[in-house]
Amino acid sequence: MQAITLAGLKATYAKGTRVSDVMAEVLRRIDSYKDPAVWISRASSEAVMARSAALDADPSARALSLFGVPFAVKDNIDCAGFPTTAGCPSFAYAPSENATVVEKLLAAGAILLGKTNLDQFATGLVGTRSPYGAPRSVYDTRYISGGSSSGSAVAVAAGLAAFALGTDTAGSGRVPAAFNNIVGLKPTRGRLSARGVVPACRSLDCVSIFANTVGDAAIIAAVAEGFDAADPFSRPMPAVLAPPDAFRFGVLPVASRDFLGDVGCAALYDAAIARLVSCGGTPVEFDYAPFRDAAELLYDGAWVAERTAAVGDFLDAHESGLDPVVKAIVASGRRFSAVDAFTGSYRLAECRNRADAEWEKMDLMLLPTAAVHYTLDEITADPIRRNSHLGRFTNWVNLLDASAIAVPAGFRDNGLPFGITLLAPAGGEVGLTNLAQRFHAASATGAGLSRTPVTVEPLSLLDKGVDLFVVGAHLSDMPLNKELRDLKARFVTAAQTAPDYELYALANTTPPKPGMVRAPSADAASIAGEVWRLTPEAFGRFVAKIPTPLGIGKIHLSDGSEVSGFLCEPIALQGARNITSFGGWRAFIASMTSI
């Protein structure tokens, strides 16, 4: 099954292929896929085709960074028009709006296919704890897909979606990636908003991304990221440099390479080390003990009580549709006291100090994503202990505030895929992108069911860059938008200012231009615009050409974030028309052309 990638879709659309034709093929694939446990709810064919037709009919839509890209969402993330079940039918509710990340992806032109299966309440790394069934590895249906983001990983690996959202508290965005031969990006905590996500451990939860290539995952994260004032755990990301050309990478000492008897995994880990050496790295053994000790706190310490805080009252009051293992785990959090929670935080601080000393030895870390790949029967026979085995190299990552990219790394003799994870301290996933791409390409694994080798993608699309908010002639369908495109700017999202700006149609400007001023008053309002991303060098060139009376300042957006954008000198408002009531320049221009 051919993998769906952003580059592949872009090339297809560039040839004139309609979105409707691509989506018809995607729907055919979904209908013919033989694992019914992938989806919990699906968008109707009519809804998908209507969205496709709307994109086809809008010439400006082709500028959107995710134009016509089909995606899926784990069913603990809110999508308006779909019930959110968290894998539990009796818990289901109908959200009135999209989660922040979903809203950003839709605004960038992506097409939502439906909601995917998961370990109930995102509790598990196995993908078997759901009343909706157990999705299987795309390579062998006797084997688990991994969890908790099981359906999302399978949807991407099976060629049903270009990317999918998961969540990752203990490894749920990485283990399923390894078991299905795809990329799993676990961003730094708080980089992607968790507003609209059913919490598992709220202080640790991350929205994660499954994709067929590292570059795709990085682009999707760049679209979805951003501070969200409505999420108390959202935070600005630190600026972290990429590893140097000659870098040190941490590897497990032989004594810590416990693959539970899986000799094939041990050999593939050795091969991954050699491959990273060929990319310019020097392996450095480090002490895994502080990371292992932190990992044990997640399920053997007071952090289990955070799962109880999230959904424990619901589980106590309901029996229908509950997985017995999930209920036992969540209920067990009540045995911990506030004293235990403080004691656990002290223990974690000790682990963090010891871990920081190990990080001093290396620029990044190379770990197996999972030690072993179990069959469904093996998990059924011993669900808790074997689930714990799967988290051996993942459970500590959010507790110690690290970032991670899970990447395919080869195949065992039995044909099952093996994956590694590249890890760095908070913010490091952006800097790891280039190296992770090179590693994936060198592994020659393909992606998902497709064995076609992936290529290293141009990093110009992946630069974090500088965001610019535009409100007038630089909008995507306006006369000066070409200035942004000539500088290789990339559309990020539609957005609105905070409700304290006024917009004016300036006099004697060619082409017609607006001027926006921040003037909190009874006449002020939110002004519609767009966010575009430029490299720092391109941003400087753009700003240097801005004519008076316009300039660049800080714009306060409606989501509480702040971004660079156009502002106007007050002197230019003499003779200008106040058009704030239109809500934006595009609406004003439309009113003029209709006269």
Side-chain angles (χ1 to χ4, degrees), residues 40 68 79 112 127 134 149 153 181 198 203 216 221 238 256 305 331 343 347 419 459 553 560:
I40 289 180
C79 298
L112 179 59
S149 309
N181 194 42
V198 177
S203 66
D216 283 4
S256 297
T343 301
R347 176 63 174 150
L459 286 181

Side-chain angles (χ1 to χ4, degrees), residues 1-8 139 156-157 162 180-183 211-217 275 406-411 433-458:
M1 181 76 74
Q2 183 178 4
I4 306 175
T5 65
L6 300 192
Y139 276 91
V156 173
N180 292 281
N181 194 42
I182 57 173
V183 171
N212 286 299
T213 72
V214 175
D216 283 4
R275 196 169 300 126
V407 182
F411 288 87
T433 298
N434 183 32
L435 181 59
Q437 285 194 107
R438 290 162 57 201
F439 181 94
H440 188 190
S443 298
T445 60
L449 282 172
S450 172
R451 299 298 294 272
T452 302
V454 300
T455 58
V456 177
E457 299 164 31

Side-chain angles (χ1 to χ4, degrees), residues 121 169 198-206 298 303-307 310:
F121 295 111
T169 303
V198 177
C201 290
R202 194 176 182 194
S203 66
L204 302 178
D205 294 338
C206 297
L298 191 61
W303 273 269
V304 177
E306 193 168 13
R307 292 183 182 270

